[in-house]
Amino acid sequence: MYVAVKGGERAIDNAHAFLAEERRGDPAVPDLSVAQIREQMALAVNRVMTEGSLYDPDLAALAIKQARGDLIEAIFLIRAYRTTLPRLGYSTPVDTGKMATTRRISATYKDLPGGQILGPTFDYTHRLIDFALAAEGDAPPAPQASPLGDVPRVTGFLDREGLIEEEPASDATPGDLTREPMELPADRALRLQALTRGDEGFILSLAYSSQRGFGRTHPFVGELRIGEVAVEMDISELGVAIEIGEITVTECETVNQFTGSKTQPPQFTRGYGLVFGQTERKAISMSLVDRALRWKELGEDDTGAPVQDQEFVLMHADNIQATGFLEHIKLPHYVDFQSELELVRRLRAGMTEAAE
Amino acid sequence: MSDYNFAYLDEQTKRMIRRAILKGVAVPGYQVPFASREMPMPYGWGTGGVQVTAACLTPDDRLKVIDQGADDTTNAVSIRKFFQRTAAVAVTEHTGAATLIQTRHRIPERPLIAGQILVYQVPIPEPLRFLEPRETETRRMHALEDYGLMHVKLYEDIARNGAIATSYAYPVKVEGRYVMDPSPIPKFDNPKLSGTPALQLFGAGREQRIYAIPPFTKVVSLDFEDYPFEATKAPHPCDLCGDEGSYLDEVITDDRGGRMFVCSDTDHCASRQAEGHGGRLSTQGDAA
Amino acid sequence: MTPDAMTGGFADAPVQSACGFRAILRALSQPGEIVAVAGVRPPAPLSAAAGTAALVLLDGTTPVHLAGPHACQSVRDWITFHTGAPLVEAEHAMFAFGSWDALLPVARFAIGTPEYPDRAATLIVEMDRLDSDGAVLRGPGIETTARLSLPELQAFKVNRALFPLGFDTLLACGDRLAGLPRSTIVEDV
């Protein structure tokens, strides 16, 4: 019986073999290819890339396969891999104004330059199980539109009129919470990084809580755009920026309640979200949480809402930290439990003695 | 794993951790923030300790890894294997033979010696966290040496239970300055923190903190004059080696209230048995 | 760049920096203990011990100050090539290298803040002589007392009075190294 705790190494090896077998499932069913996951589970791939902070659809797809579809486990695999990669350089900021958009909608204007482009969205699908998908079969090709030119940003229209707070461009190097320990209060760039990496469910719920009145943000989706942007790097030897590739991103800019004072005319304010791939729920949630966290700089009241509490939001958004700490309570704790047992027994004995 | 650097971490990461360790040594008990990396094991499973160990290991080291005092618990096995793979380091189960010991929740029974390094895995490094959840606030309290809240908590324990109701992760004061969390070791182990010839390093990966107790540093468990600190354990000898003074695990042996008490430090217990010591159950059954 | 800037570094960085770190760790956690380091050949006047400390601890994120003759072109080039550490004025340095006289006044160096006492400079002092005699040391890392040939006493007494703030010191001489963290109490014989 007591020998049961011995042989930890063999137990681990056997557990891993069992896991591999379960991961594969019934060998009579064909093995999933990484390409199939990348192409047909693209939104899962996007989430893993966003919260894993690494743009590599093939690797994300492989991680999903290895993790048996557990996306947080897949994100963990990506993060642990990413941290070992050397930093060869830093790109210049991507210009989402030059995005090749596949989807672009604004809730603030009926029509606008560049137009409303629904793109590949679930928005107006009726959520009826499509039993036809259970049978093999390709979808008919969708109609093709001619490619769009540059699509100007909605906040740009408001900016021109001075109706929205200015967001001047800055050459300051943003912090990086994967290289520096988080220091509170964190500036906006660092908060945005934490929110992009943060758990989609957590950010969604925080955003929802703000809509329901816990730290009200009063948002309009000024614009949601999805598409490809060029990633460029400055090559100091050449003195020019060269394009090293293209990535798909989702960007959300919200237009929020205005601020103003006797001296300052009223202006709308902004919330911002940017994530890898088509991950629009996350991008919208992020922009609401971003806006809510800005209460202090915009002179708003602290209503004590969770979404306004920077430390609460930033310290609990990361699902890899959260799941690790949560699940560590599975590890043996019998030393601590023993010390508690001993204390409780002693306190009880003391009470019995006192009663006698 | 041969694609990875010696001891897994890249050199820049190790440098950053090493700088944090040195500042921790210079300010005993103060929690130095460090840019903890994502490790290939989960947060909460020893990533802080693993990073500290990885930053310290040399090929000449002999590494011992324990969890709950035991070398053969699954997480200890897993971490030991990780360093065998990534650093090709020699390993041992003998406390006396180890140059570096990574531990979770225990300090070995055998007194540590000069030159040894004990690395603790720490889940929540902030001793004030459960009294004040805000980092901004606890940082201020440490800066001002404002530890009144901690004494209030301990005193409330006494008022309610007649004793200080903290049995592990019992807070200590280091060199009369910083209140420190000794990691969730049973308070039985607290006296061993003080004045040991070994260097003690603490790593909290998820919470991004490293701290240290240099050798021969004064570490005092918080208490009150009328309620002095007491290092307690179950009032039994070990059923396998007969030791009266070691910390014990309680093992349930049947569903009729049967139980046995055995040393939590497996090396200590095995060494004593090898020396011929025995306990209540050492002659019956397979006690390997 | 001076010709020997690219030589004299670690041949096997992961292992040599690990061994170098352990020596520094031992020195700083046991003040008064003199440890030997080897394997680095930096340009003069940087000693082998100080050069090892540089390679173990410096990189692009650690502003470094070179004081007096240590600010010569060959040392600057060597530090830059091997570590990428930005060279800065004393006030902004995380690490500083030089003789004690060149480092004076040491009040220039960062001592950390009450919230972040770790944000303090480490001085790597080149010594003509490093022996277990002279000042009496007490404090963390020392069982009873230790002795160390310090360049002066008063500055370290002032520094100790700032605890938990203060700078930390490594003393280098040839291929030998000793540590004096801010926690050490320094007394006359």
Side-chain angles (χ1 to χ4, degrees):
Chain A
M1 153 279 342
Y2 183 62
V3 287
V5 299
K6 286 268 177 195
E9 187 151 0
R10 210 177 65 227
I12 289 173
D13 289 343
N14 290 345
H16 290 173
F18 196 0
L19 173 67
E21 193 180 298
E22 286 289 298
R23 188 200 59 69
R24 176 60 183 85
D26 183 352
V29 175
D31 192 25
L32 257 179
S33 75
V34 168
Q36 283 172 328
I37 297 170
R38 185 193 64 221
E39 295 302 315
Q40 298 174 41
M41 294 287 141
L43 300 192
V45 167
N46 291 344
R47 180 175 172 192
V48 170
M49 294 197 300
T50 294
E51 293 173 35
S53 292
L54 186 72
Y55 194 94
D56 188 331
D58 286 296
L59 206 62
L62 177 59
I64 291 168
K65 178 173 177 171
Q66 185 181 334
R68 308 177 65 193
D70 179 339
L71 296 191
I72 291 182
E73 183 67 25
I75 292 161
F76 186 8
L77 289 169
I78 293 297
R79 292 263 194 100
Y81 176 74
R82 174 191 190 272
T83 197
T84 65
L85 298 175
R87 299 265 169 125
L88 301 177
Y90 294 86
S91 74
T92 58
V94 294
D95 184 355
T96 52
K98 294 213 172 79
M99 178 188 284
T101 48
T102 53
R103 171 162 163 77
R104 188 275 193 127
I105 51 166
S106 169
T108 48
Y109 294 99
K110 183 170 185 185
D111 199 7
L112 67 172
Q116 305 262 17
I117 308 157
L118 275 185
T121 175
F122 291 126
D123 283 355
Y124 304 101
T125 62
H126 293 145
R127 269 59 169 201
L128 304 170
I129 296 272
D130 183 358
F131 291 99
L133 280 178
E136 316 271 329
D138 289 333
Q144 279 289 321
S146 48
L148 298 152
D150 288 357
V151 179
R153 284 203 196 81
V154 169
T155 47
F157 307 140
L158 291 167
D159 215 4
R160 221 162 296 142
E161 278 187 77
L163 285 173
I164 193 160
E165 56 164 328
E166 267 185 80
E167 197 60 71
S170 159
D171 282 333
T173 305
D176 181 349
L177 56 83
T178 69
R179 309 304 277 187
E180 296 285 331
M182 173 97 76
E183 188 187 327
L184 299 165
D187 66 19
R188 191 175 177 203
L190 216 51
R191 297 196 305 254
L192 288 169
Q193 184 190 15
L195 294 177
T196 295
R197 286 162 57 88
D199 182 75
E200 180 173 313
F202 180 72
I203 307 294
L204 168 66
S205 293
L206 283 172
Y208 176 48
S209 74
S210 80
Q211 287 182 293
R212 287 195 66 256
F214 287 79
R216 188 151 171 70
T217 54
H218 212 312
F220 301 101
V221 171
E223 180 168 10
L224 175 77
R225 56 169 67 200
I226 302 172
E228 286 194 337
V229 292
V231 179
E232 296 182 339
M233 246 177 94
D234 278 327
I235 306 298
S236 51
E237 287 82 5
L238 303 175
V240 290
I242 59 155
E243 186 178 323
I244 55 171
E246 286 182 332
I247 61 172
T248 301
V249 296
T250 303
E251 181 185 55
C252 179
E253 284 198 276
T254 54
V255 176
N256 295 71
Q257 71 236 47
F258 54 83
T259 55
S261 60
K262 282 199 175 112
T263 52
Q264 241 194 329
Q267 275 188 320
F268 291 107
T269 57
R270 305 172 190 244
Y272 188 75
L274 183 72
V275 294
F276 287 150
Q278 178 174 3
T279 313
E280 54 188 82
R281 181 187 302 121
K282 175 68 177 288
I284 300 167
S285 303
M286 178 177 165
S287 54
L288 263 63
V289 176
D290 168 49
R291 175 59 184 82
L293 286 172
R294 299 179 62 211
W295 63 272
K296 208 170 198 169
E297 61 176 283
L298 296 171
E300 294 168 344
D301 291 334
D302 178 7
T303 64
V307 73
Q308 287 183 309
D309 185 334
Q310 181 182 129
E311 182 162 354
F312 179 81
V313 172
L314 300 183
M315 299 307 271
H316 302 113
D318 190 294
N319 52 26
I320 303 308
Q321 292 176 357
T323 200
F325 196 51
L326 179 99
E327 296 195 49
H328 106 282
I329 62 176
K330 293 184 284 192
L331 287 178
H333 280 79
Y334 35 78
V335 162
D336 295 345
F337 183 67
Q338 192 57 42
S339 63
E340 291 279 78
L341 264 182
E342 195 269 332
L343 178 67
V344 170
R345 281 179 182 145
R346 212 154 41 83
L347 291 177
R348 288 173 64 97
M351 284 179 79
T352 316
E353 249 169 60
E356 275 162 11
Chain B
M1 297 229 73
S2 55
D3 294 344
Y4 292 100
N5 195 25
F6 173 74
Y8 181 77
L9 296 172
D10 59 279
E11 289 305 299
Q12 188 173 350
T13 297
K14 281 192 266 186
R15 265 194 302 274
M16 175 270 296
I17 295 170
R18 287 168 181 159
R19 291 192 295 262
I21 292 173
L22 293 179
K23 286 303 172 198
V25 165
V27 191
Y30 164 73
Q31 304 162 50
V32 183
F34 82 112
S36 175
R37 296 293 194 250
E38 260 129 353
M39 298 299 287
M41 61 269 289
Y43 284 118
W45 298 53
T47 56
V50 165
Q51 289 179 80
V52 169
T53 296
C56 286
L57 273 185
T58 73
D60 303 329
D61 274 309
R62 264 186 316 283
L63 175 70
K64 172 180 165 83
V65 183
I66 50 174
D67 189 334
Q68 312 298 298
D71 298 89
D72 54 8
T73 39
T74 41
N75 203 43
V77 168
S78 167
I79 289 171
R80 186 164 59 235
K81 213 169 166 181
F82 176 73
F83 283 115
Q84 281 178 288
R85 257 191 222 163
T86 58
V89 70
V91 297
T92 180
E93 295 195 359
H94 297 300
T95 302
T99 55
L100 196 154
I101 304 171
Q102 180 167 329
T103 183
R104 179 170 169 264
H105 294 189
R106 275 309 311 274
I107 299 175
E109 302 290 352
R110 184 193 176 97
L112 299 176
I113 54 174
Q116 285 184 317
I117 299 178
L118 183 60
V119 176
Y120 296 76
Q121 300 172 204
V122 183
I124 302 272
E126 178 49 71
L128 306 167
R129 180 65 71 238
F130 296 108
L131 309 172
E132 168 53 63
R134 278 173 203 286
E135 148 78 12
T136 36
E137 202 46 37
T138 53
R139 186 162 288 281
R140 189 193 59 78
M141 290 158 79
H142 284 295
L144 299 175
E145 214 174 336
D146 173 8
Y147 296 127
L149 201 57
M150 181 63 90
H151 284 99
V152 169
K153 189 262 170 197
L154 297 176
Y155 194 78
E156 279 175 355
D157 272 5
I158 295 171
R160 188 172 303 127
N161 303 306
I164 293 174
T166 299
S167 61
Y168 61 92
Y170 191 104
V172 296
K173 198 165 202 179
V174 182
E175 281 290 318
R177 179 55 180 84
Y178 285 99
V179 166
M180 190 198 91
D181 178 281
S183 88
I185 55 172
K187 68 177 181 175
F188 172 82
D189 282 340
N190 270 29
K192 298 183 219 164
L193 294 161
S194 191
T196 171
L199 169 64
Q200 301 174 84
L201 302 176
F202 299 78
R206 192 179 38 79
E207 297 281 340
Q208 309 193 307
R209 296 291 183 273
I210 284 171
Y211 50 104
I213 302 176
F216 307 114
T217 296
K218 196 173 163 201
V219 181
V220 178
S221 302
L222 300 183
D223 63 357
F224 297 96
E225 245 172 55
D226 42 348
Y227 286 91
F229 170 82
E230 219 186 326
T232 56
K233 59 173 284 258
H236 305 276
C238 171
D239 283 329
L240 297 180
C241 77
D243 193 344
E244 307 262 353
S246 67
Y247 193 77
L248 301 171
D249 287 338
E250 181 174 332
V251 181
I252 307 287
T253 52
D254 56 43
D255 58 2
R256 298 179 304 277
R259 68 195 66 220
M260 63 189 285
F261 289 90
V262 293
C263 291
S264 103
D265 183 333
T266 47
D267 172 53
H268 174 74
C269 196
S271 303
R272 279 181 52 87
Q273 290 178 63
E275 287 162 14
H277 296 284
R280 185 174 64 97
L281 300 172
S282 54
T283 49
Q284 61 179 79
D286 180 5
Chain C
M1 194 174 276
T2 39
D4 43 359
M6 288 180 273
T7 64
F10 285 144
D12 180 1
V15 169
Q16 282 181 291
S17 55
C19 296
F21 170 68
R22 283 290 281 278
I24 295 167
L25 178 62
R26 187 183 173 93
L28 202 71
S29 59
Q30 291 167 244
E33 180 119 346
I34 297 170
V35 299
V37 292
V40 174
R41 285 170 292 102
L46 200 60
S47 65
T52 302
L55 296 195
V56 169
L57 299 171
L58 305 187
D59 56 36
T61 67
T62 54
V64 63
H65 177 69
L66 301 176
H70 278 71
C72 67
Q73 197 60 42
S74 54
V75 173
R76 296 167 69 101
D77 286 349
W78 193 81
I79 294 280
T80 304
F81 176 79
H82 288 280
T83 73
L87 303 176
V88 298
E89 290 305 305
E91 291 73 13
H92 306 292
M94 236 161 116
F95 292 92
F97 292 77
S99 68
W100 182 252
D101 286 343
L103 289 167
L104 292 175
V106 289
R108 298 179 290 167
F109 293 101
I111 57 167
T113 66
E115 277 80 20
Y116 294 96
D118 54 303
R119 295 178 183 173
T122 302
L123 312 184
I124 295 94
V125 186
E126 298 280 13
M127 306 279 291
D128 295 330
R129 187 175 82 80
L130 186 61
D131 291 300
S132 302
D133 59 24
V136 176
L137 315 181
R138 289 191 297 114
I142 305 165
E143 187 168 14
T144 50
T145 57
R147 304 278 299 270
L148 195 61
S149 54
L150 299 181
E152 75 160 86
L153 258 63
Q154 189 54 27
F156 293 103
K157 287 182 179 174
V158 170
N159 192 47
R160 180 60 180 79
L162 299 170
F163 189 85
L165 306 188
F167 57 82
D168 304 303
T169 308
L170 297 173
L171 303 165
C173 179
D175 61 357
R176 296 177 315 130
L177 194 79
L180 196 78
R182 70 189 85 170
S183 59
T184 303
I185 298 158
V186 176
E187 290 165 350
D188 307 83
V189 180

